[in-house]
Structure formats: C-alpha cells, structure tokens
Amino acid sequence: MRYDDGKDCFIYIQHEHGVIENGSLELITKAKELLSDTEENVVAVLLGTLDQNTHDTLADYGADAIIVCEHPDVSAYDCLNHAAVLTEIIETHHPKSFLFPGTVRGRELAPRISARVHTGLTADATRIELDNDEGQTHSLAITRPAFGGNLFATIITPDHVPQMATIRPGVFEMKKVNTPYAKRIDHTTDVELKSPIEIEAIIPKENDNASIADAKLIVSAGRGVKDCLDMVQHVAKTLNAELGASRALVDDGVVAKLSQVGQTGSTVRPLLYMACGISGALQHTAGMDKSETIIAINNDPAAPIFDVADLGIIGDAKEILTHLMRRLDVSNTP
Amino acid sequence: MNIAVLVKQVPNTTEIKVDKETGALIRKGIPTIINPDDLSAVEVALKLKATHGGKVHVFTMGPKSAESMLRELYARGVDDATLLCDKAFAGSDTWSTSLVLSTALKRHRFDLVIAGRQAIDGDTAQVGPQVAEFLGIPHISYVDEIRGVDATHCFLRKKEEKQSMHLKCPFPLLITVLDGIAKPRYMNMTHIFNNASRDVEILDNDALAIEKADLGIKGSPTKVKKTYAKSITKKTTAESLAPEDAAERILAVLREKGGMPDAL
C-alpha cells in the first residue's frame, strides 16, 4: 500500500479470556522505548472487548492510544475476520508500522494482511531499531535470523507502508512505564465478516511445557545427557524449572518439539538457564544467550556453550547431576 | 481431489558456514535438499490422493537446478510438476514470490493447496498465507493433523502454543503443515523408472505475464539493508571441577539467583 508516509506504530494485541499475550506487551514496551523522543505514538490494536483492566494494562506497558473493535465476530480469534478488520484499520488510520507478536496466530495472520495491503513483512525478528538513513524518518530497521541462526539480516521497507513485522516473543522485556493515559478510539467495522472457518473443539495441551518462553528457570538437555535424560528431568522437577532441550534431542525424538530452545525453537530469557550436555551451536545459543545467568556443564573444554556461560563446568554431566540430585533431595527431605 | 503442493529447494543448513570476516554465506559445495516441511506436505497430499483420488501437482519457484528436486518428487508419486523459473524472479521477497506462485496456481483449479510451514533457509512461514490471500481462499497455518475430508469440507487440527484447535473449513483452502504431520515415504523403483524421462513443466514470466515492477529485488517491498554473522562474546572461562564441587557451585548460584524452590 502507498499512502503519504503514515504515522505511529501499531501493535496487534493478541488476547484470550481477558489475558493479553506477553509478546504483545513486550512490543508495546519496546516501541515506546524506540519512539520516546519522537512525535510518533504507540497504538495498541485490540479486536474484542476492552474492559477497564485490559485498558489499564495496555497503558501501563506504554500504549499511548488503543484502537478497539468490539464487533462480536472478531471477539474470538479468526484469521480471516481479523485480517479483514485490521486491513480496514490500516486503511483508516495509515500507521507507519504494524508489529505482531511472532506467535502461531501472529505468524498466521500478518502475512495475509501484508499480501492484501501490498507491503513488506519481516518474519520472526529479534531486533528493532529506528532507521533515519536515506531520508527515512523514524522508519524501522528490523533484524532477523536466517539460515538456522547462522546469519542475521537487517530488513527495511523503504517504499511501502505500513512496515510490518512479526517479532519473536520473549526477546524484549515487558516493563511498566506509567503512561498516565491511553486514549480509546472505537472502530466500527463496515466489512462483511464471513470467515468459513469453524472451530469444532479446543483441546488444551496435555503436557503443559508450553510456557518455556515465560519460564524463570530452565534446565536444558543436549545430546551429552541423552542417556541420563531422566536425571535432567528430575532436577528440573525438583527445582520447579521447565525442561528445555537442544535441537539434537528434539530431532532424535526423545524430547517434545515445544521444549526446543534456539533459532528453530523458543527464545528464552529466564533468570537462570542450566545447559547440561549442550555443546552450544549458534542454533541453540541464539535462543538462550540473553538469559540472566547461564550455567553450562559439558565434558568438552572447547564447547562453544562456555562462551556464553557465567558458570562453565568442564566435567561429566551425569556425575555432576548425580551429586546435584543427592544434594537437592537431601535438602528436599523435611 | 486436486491438490497443489508448494515446495522449495534449500541448502542443507546444518552444513552451512558463514565467513566470519565478511558475514557472507559460504554456499560453495553446500548440498541442496527439498525443504523438510515441504516433503511432509507432499506426503500428506499423496496420502489424501490414495484415499480420495485426484491428482497431486507440485510447484516450485527457483533456478533451473531445482528441476532435479521435482524429478525426485515424480519418483515419490506426484502427478505433475511445475518449475517457475525466470531471471526476473530472482531476489524476490515473500510478497513477490507468493505473487509468482499464486499466478501459476490460478492456471488450474485446486481443492486444496498444501505448503510446508516454513523453509529452513528463510524460516519466514509467510509464503503459504500470502499465496492464499492472492488466491482469495482461506488458509490455516500450523496444521499437524488432517482429521478427515468429506465432499465439501476439510477437518483439521491446528497446533498452537498452549492448545490445539479442531477446525472445519470448506474447499478450496490452503494449509501449511508441520513436519510431524506425516513421515515421507521412500522413492518407489517403479515410479523412478516410469518417470525418469518425464518432463517438468517450466514456466517463465512470458507465460505468467506478471508486471515486472512486482518482481525480483525491485518489486519486493522488503529490502535487505545488511547481513552479518553472529559474533559471540566470551563471559568467563570454564573450569574443571570434581563432581561434588561442581554440584556445590551450582547450588550456590541457584541460591544466589533465587532459583531454589521455597521448600528447599
């Protein structure tokens, strides 16, 4: 789409049952930080019901304004109906950029809109900067990993608006910034909402390890502990930690895909990440190197995981885990 | 049921190396493979065909060398293969690529279009949904099971982070599938013999007649400003410790960082 320049950064608010997806709040915080010295606003776009609590939350994390469409046919997520209304919102308000959390839904929805409005979309980005080069004002330079994390590419969209991107959840911090007030803008839709997709059932995930991206503590296993995975799981359980895994173990089929940390898995930034028997290929470290503290255990002194570790232990993971379990179980006994 | 499958030939990324000096990709000598998610998409299509009849037609956009990948798919049992190949297509981003693919698909009538979730070289997961938009048909991404098919509808399971959804959608539609959806079959000797000399349809932009302004680097809304290889910063030196001492050090860090459960 081409309209004159455009203004403001729009953020898609993914939500369900009154809970806002962290990925959306992270984007609000990040956009607010980037645009704080400009005239541009951070605008949260929410399809569904905006109650006071939700309104306050969006303002707390940095939204200057909230566009809300309360039409009943968009209150629950539907890719086609959401694409239709969001396109209408773009055509009405002419945002300069439109960011989506890189969740399953964000990555299903955003491409459809970018095709419809003829604009550029960057996938699963991990870095956003302001780009004032070449006569651009407050455009975004958006960096994303490619080739399994071996290469990073910085993408711009110089001639189309809005510039669109999906941003990997967990990469940016969500922070309350105390925006005193977020203006509410109601959007009444005129488009015909006629998605033929019907939801027949929603099945909650049995093994709730899906929260690995939000975990505060992760104990992660690599090929070096394949033969003592039960010990890693035991330590994780005792510490109330989530179990993570390298791509190797997931490819081997011994750990579920949702536990995978790295470029093709989840990006995590827990307070503490303990890597057991993980060599630390870029594929893996790119997804965990922002963890606040990293403990690495590996028997190979040259393992690249030690390059990102705060505590690096060269040794046999099985033996170390045995001692750790013993100590944890002792202190766990009343 | 007539099914189109979108496939891509990709470098085998597990063998990819980056020149640390220039940040450029070392492509020389890197073997190419069919994108794993796409191979699963082909398998799903072949299974549906086996049950419900119809034809499976694979499409790819790429250089002339991608023809070998399509021949391999003949050997797996697909009925038709089309390579979209033109210098004008080179350097296209997902928007332009999707325009090319959808223009080729519009020459036929398909009930179902299947694409792999994402390619391992770009990891964008955008081409499937964008093709669906250009075709004006619904799409569902991240499908990990086809639960059933009747005369008018497809019944699918879509995998999200915290739940799965059972969805029902009328034909025609496009789905993108996860690689776990089906285990690809081996190539069949009979198919290999029967298809060794079969032609791959090759279409250039004379056939597709897309506006040049919408193609290639020039026609792509996104531009690559720069690329670079990742550098790693060293934080500490690793130490060799006896297992007992190692366990104590770990416990100390856990305590310090508040990682110990309250009960401990």
Side-chain angles (χ1 to χ4, degrees), chain A residues 85 88 90-92 123 129 133 151 161-162 172 183-184 193 198 212 214 217 275 278 287 293 295 299 311 331-332:
Chain A
V85 173
E88 188 185 41
I90 290 171
E91 286 165 350
T92 310
E129 295 149 294
D133 289 0
L151 195 71
V161 267
F172 299 120
K183 184 182 169 194
R184 175 182 170 131
L193 300 169
E198 283 174 53
I212 187 161
D214 301 327
L217 189 56
I278 295 176
T293 301
I295 301 176
N299 58 10
L311 172 61
S331 45
N332 211 5

Side-chain angles (χ1 to χ4, degrees), chain A residues 253-269:
Chain A
V254 293
V255 178
K257 171 84 180 164
L258 278 164
S259 295
Q260 187 183 324
V261 173
Q263 285 303 342
T264 48
S266 297
T267 295
V268 298
R269 48 185 309 159

Side-chain angles (χ1 to χ4, degrees), chain A residues 154 200 289 307 309 314 327, chain B residues 166 225 230 233 236 239 248:
Chain A
T154 302
E200 293 192 306
D289 61 1
D307 293 342
I314 303 161
R327 292 284 282 116
Chain B
H166 288 183
K225 190 179 158 89
K230 189 178 174 173
T233 49
T236 50
E239 307 163 61
E248 289 307 319

Side-chain angles (χ1 to χ4, degrees), chain A residues 4-321:
Chain A
D4 283 339
D5 212 24
K7 189 172 180 297
D8 301 337
C9 178
F10 282 26
I11 314 274
Y12 175 71
I13 305 303
Q14 182 177 331
H15 63 98
E16 193 145 60
H17 311 305
V19 181
I20 302 168
E21 187 73 24
N22 285 350
S24 290
L25 296 176
E26 290 158 15
L27 290 182
I28 293 179
T29 304
K30 181 65 185 178
K32 183 72 183 174
E33 173 200 318
L34 282 174
L35 298 176
S36 57
D37 294 335
T38 73
E39 300 288 301
E40 309 266 330
N41 290 316
V42 177
V43 180
V45 180
L46 184 140
L47 309 185
T49 311
L50 181 68
D51 57 29
Q52 192 57 45
N53 189 28
T54 307
H55 188 125
D56 291 346
T57 304
L58 295 171
D60 282 347
Y61 285 94
D64 299 302
I66 303 164
I67 294 175
V68 56
C69 177
E70 293 194 324
H71 193 287
D73 288 348
V74 292
S75 62
Y77 173 78
D78 176 278
C79 180
L80 299 183
N81 288 345
H82 276 210
V85 173
L86 292 171
T87 301
E88 188 185 41
I89 286 172
I90 290 171
E91 286 165 350
T92 310
H93 295 277
H94 295 184
K96 177 171 269 175
S97 53
F98 208 141
L99 306 179
F100 291 71
T103 53
V104 166
R105 291 181 180 183
R107 294 186 72 185
E108 176 178 63
L109 174 61
R112 183 128 207 148
I113 298 167
S114 73
R116 190 170 299 178
V117 305
H118 190 173
T119 192
L121 171 64
T122 306
D124 202 26
T126 52
R127 190 168 172 186
I128 324 174
E129 295 149 294
L130 277 191
D131 181 23
N132 290 321
D133 289 0
E134 294 154 37
Q136 305 288 325
T137 27
H138 315 321
S139 291
L140 303 177
I142 300 172
T143 301
R144 65 178 309 263
F147 288 97
N150 287 304
L151 195 71
F152 285 76
T154 302
I155 310 288
I156 53 172
T157 304
D159 305 317
H160 294 74
V161 267
Q163 177 173 20
M164 289 177 63
T166 56
I167 314 287
R168 184 175 295 192
V171 170
F172 299 120
E173 269 181 276
M174 43 187 274
K175 262 198 311 244
K176 295 198 175 183
V177 293
N178 259 334
T179 311
Y181 166 75
K183 184 182 169 194
R184 175 182 170 131
I185 302 160
D186 278 276
H187 179 85
T188 331
T189 182
D190 291 324
V191 289
E192 197 186 345
L193 300 169
K194 49 174 184 187
S195 171
I197 299 170
E198 283 174 53
I199 301 173
E200 293 192 306
I202 295 177
I203 321 289
K205 221 171 74 65
E206 304 109 31
N207 160 20
D208 192 23
N209 195 22
S211 50
I212 187 161
D214 301 327
K216 295 279 171 264
L217 189 56
I218 295 173
V219 178
S220 208
R223 215 167 238 166
V225 291
K226 194 177 173 183
D227 65 337
C228 57
L229 201 56
D230 54 326
M231 294 170 69
V232 181
Q233 281 162 333
H234 182 88
V235 168
K237 200 166 174 224
T238 312
L239 293 172
N240 287 330
E242 292 288 344
L243 180 73
S246 70
R247 182 175 178 165
L249 281 193
V250 174
D251 285 352
D252 288 352
V254 293
V255 178
K257 171 84 180 164
L258 278 164
S259 295
Q260 187 183 324
V261 173
Q263 285 303 342
T264 48
S266 297
T267 295
V268 298
R269 48 185 309 159
L271 293 173
L272 186 66
Y273 188 92
M274 188 158 113
C276 308
I278 295 176
S279 64
L282 280 176
Q283 148 71 234
H284 187 77
T285 54
M288 48 65 81
D289 61 1
K290 291 204 182 68
S291 304
E292 196 169 301
T293 301
I294 296 169
I295 301 176
I297 309 171
N298 204 292
N299 58 10
D300 175 8
I305 190 78
F306 291 132
D307 293 342
V308 298
D310 299 280
L311 172 61
I313 299 168
I314 303 161
D316 183 88
K318 195 172 183 175
E319 284 182 31
I320 294 167
L321 286 170

